């Protein structure tokens, strides 16, 4: 178990996920449920960072597509996380395009973001990126950094997989995530004084 998360090490979790996906592709409904339970929380956190309160609706659309196309997926647990994140990202971008046609601001637009109240502490923000306060901090980052942090930390993707999701080079994603995390640390430390 990872001491910080209480979960099995990433490689073991991803091996279990890969096995569940392979069984689900053969029609095992419980294996699909296991894959869903493994991937959904991180994917929902990522979508909350992209579309806010509409995350569950977008996640539902994404899971419909994932279930429909599962037979075409080829890869392991890490690949499945990346594949599902790519599908979720596409559904989120579609959603944001629809929302833009109705005048309502996207959450990652810098002009409309409200940062958390000064009473937020570093411990609350670092405790779990899935919390509303931490997501608000992440949404305060430039979009490229916010997506990189969400994919790397919340979804748990490695650099190359996150890069494929975003259509960028792994070094660019690692750099964006690093800059974003440094900026978050400065924000948290500035508020903690």
């Amino acid at each position: 178990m990872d001491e910080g998360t209480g979960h099995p090490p990433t490689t073991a979790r991803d091996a279990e996920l890969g096995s569940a996906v392979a069984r689900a592709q053969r029609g095992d409904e419980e294996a699909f449920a296991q894959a869903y339970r493994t991937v959904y929380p991180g994917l929902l956190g990522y979508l909350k960072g992209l579309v806010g309160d509409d995350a569950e609706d977008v996640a539902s659309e994404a899971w419909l597509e994932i279930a429909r196309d599962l037979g075409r997926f080829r890869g392991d647990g890490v690949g499945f996380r990346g594949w599902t994140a790519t599908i979720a990202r596409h559904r989120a971008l579609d959603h944001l395009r629809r929302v833009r046609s109705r005048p309502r601001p996207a959450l990652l637009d810098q002009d409309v973001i409200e940062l958390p109240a000064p009473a937020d502490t570093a411990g609350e923000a670092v405790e779990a990126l899935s919390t509303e306060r931490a997501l608000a901090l992440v949404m305060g980052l430039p979009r490229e950094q916010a997506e990189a942090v969400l994919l790397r930390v919340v979804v748990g993707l490695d650099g190359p997989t996150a890069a494929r999701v975003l259509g960028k080079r792994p070094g660019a994603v690692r750099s964006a995530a690093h800059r974003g995390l440094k900026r978050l640390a400065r924000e948290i430390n500035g508020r903690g004084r």
Side-chain angles (χ1 to χ4, degrees):
M1 293 282 179
D2 282 347
E3 290 177 25
T5 64
H7 295 294
T10 301
T11 54
R13 272 195 327 238
D14 287 331
E16 290 171 14
L17 177 59
S19 174
V21 169
R23 292 189 322 273
Q25 287 177 314
R26 293 189 300 267
D28 183 335
E29 290 179 21
E30 180 55 38
F32 183 80
Q34 178 186 351
Y36 175 87
R37 286 188 303 268
T38 301
V39 173
Y40 184 80
L43 211 56
L44 184 61
Y46 174 56
L47 288 171
K48 281 182 180 179
L50 295 178
V51 300
D53 291 339
D54 296 332
E56 289 189 17
D57 293 338
V58 174
S60 293
E61 290 177 27
W63 279 99
L64 285 172
E65 185 173 338
I66 291 162
R68 182 193 71 208
D69 295 344
L70 184 63
R72 290 190 253 165
F73 170 74
R74 300 289 175 258
D76 58 7
V78 172
F80 185 73
R81 284 183 197 278
W83 182 69
T84 58
T86 299
I87 290 170
R89 182 172 193 264
H90 289 161
R91 294 301 62 79
L93 294 175
D94 289 347
H95 174 78
L96 291 173
R97 279 189 284 276
R98 284 191 306 270
V99 167
R100 282 190 195 113
S101 68
R102 297 176 258 142
R104 186 175 116 189
L107 286 179
L108 290 177
D109 286 348
Q110 294 299 313
D111 299 331
V112 297
I113 292 178
E114 292 182 28
L115 292 176
D120 293 341
T121 64
E124 289 173 332
V126 173
E127 188 176 301
L129 267 177
S130 63
T131 66
E132 294 302 318
R133 288 181 190 103
L135 284 174
L137 284 173
V138 172
M139 291 185 301
L141 296 172
R143 184 179 185 109
E144 175 184 296
Q145 292 176 15
E147 277 201 85
V149 169
L150 289 167
L151 286 170
R152 296 290 311 272
V153 177
V154 177
V155 178
L157 299 181
D158 60 17
T161 305
R164 282 192 298 277
V165 170
L166 296 173
K168 298 183 180 283
R169 292 183 330 278
V173 172
R174 279 191 300 273
S175 177
H178 177 74
R179 286 192 316 273
L181 290 171
K182 278 181 64 173
R183 190 169 173 173
L184 286 173
R186 283 194 307 271
E187 182 72 24
I188 290 167
N189 290 332
R191 289 183 185 288
R193 291 184 188 163

